[in-house]
Amino acid sequence: MLMCAACAAGVAIGSLPAVSAAGEFCPWVHQYFSPSLCGDTVSAIFARTLLSSLIFLAAAFLAGTFVFGQSVGAALLVYRGVGIGVSVSAVYAVGGLRSLPAVAVLILPFALADLLIAVIAVREVIRSSCDLLRFMVCGGQRSSEHSSFRLYCIKFAVLALFSFVISLAVPLACYVFGGLL
């Protein structure tokens, strides 16, 4: 629940500047597919979405290798929420309530799927950071640390695979439902 609250706080934070800067370019929009502001080719949308997801996962992965990675993980969730808030409010600022179907079909499903991946990634960051802290304070065996790092890598590889699938679905949805804009 706390991780979802961090995401919701990010959405609220991200909505405020986008409403005041209606229609202007915002650097936060790169996080999510924003069809009315994008105008790129299908391959460019795929590449941008995948790159954003992989950079997020790489940052989360690295945060989990540090003892105090929990705070970085929470900040990453807020950052992801800000991207959603900016994207949705920018589409609303351009199209008003007419853009509600576009947001419901082209942004929210993929943003929620990405948020699920982000929450799972940050959960693993928190577990790993706490395990490292426990190991440093209480000591432990070396062999279990190696196998847990392997499992940690596998978990993030699976999350990257899911991100790849989502990144494929975003331009496909844009192509199929592009008339909603």
Side-chain angles (χ1 to χ4, degrees), residues 7-177:
C7 295
V11 170
I13 292 167
S15 298
L16 297 176
V19 170
S20 64
E24 293 179 20
F25 174 76
C26 181
W28 295 91
V29 175
H30 77 278
Q31 278 195 73
Y32 283 97
F33 171 62
S34 190
S36 65
L37 301 176
C38 193
D40 285 335
T41 64
V42 170
S43 61
I45 294 168
F46 166 73
R48 182 178 300 142
T49 305
L50 182 61
L51 182 64
S52 174
S53 296
L54 292 180
I55 288 173
F56 179 88
L57 286 175
F61 180 85
L62 289 175
T65 62
F66 295 102
V67 173
F68 298 111
Q70 302 95 334
S71 57
V72 174
L76 285 170
L77 286 178
V78 172
Y79 175 74
R80 207 43 138 178
V82 167
I84 294 171
V86 167
S87 294
V88 170
S89 59
V91 171
Y92 282 137
V94 170
L97 286 178
R98 295 185 327 248
S99 59
L100 183 62
V103 169
V105 172
L106 295 174
I107 295 178
L108 287 182
F110 305 110
L112 291 176
D114 255 359
L115 270 183
L116 178 64
I117 289 172
V119 167
I120 292 170
V122 170
R123 179 192 68 187
E124 295 305 319
V125 166
I126 291 171
R127 284 182 181 172
S128 176
S129 294
C130 289
D131 286 346
L132 286 172
L133 182 62
R134 189 177 312 113
F135 177 78
M136 289 182 70
V137 172
C138 302
Q141 298 174 341
R142 282 288 200 192
S143 62
S144 65
E145 180 186 5
H146 176 68
S147 65
S148 66
F149 182 71
R150 175 184 280 163
L151 183 60
Y152 183 72
C153 292
I154 291 170
K155 288 177 182 179
F156 273 89
V158 169
L159 291 175
L161 180 65
F162 284 133
S163 293
F164 179 80
V165 171
I166 292 169
S167 297
L168 281 175
V170 169
L172 178 65
C174 176
Y175 181 75
V176 172
F177 297 108

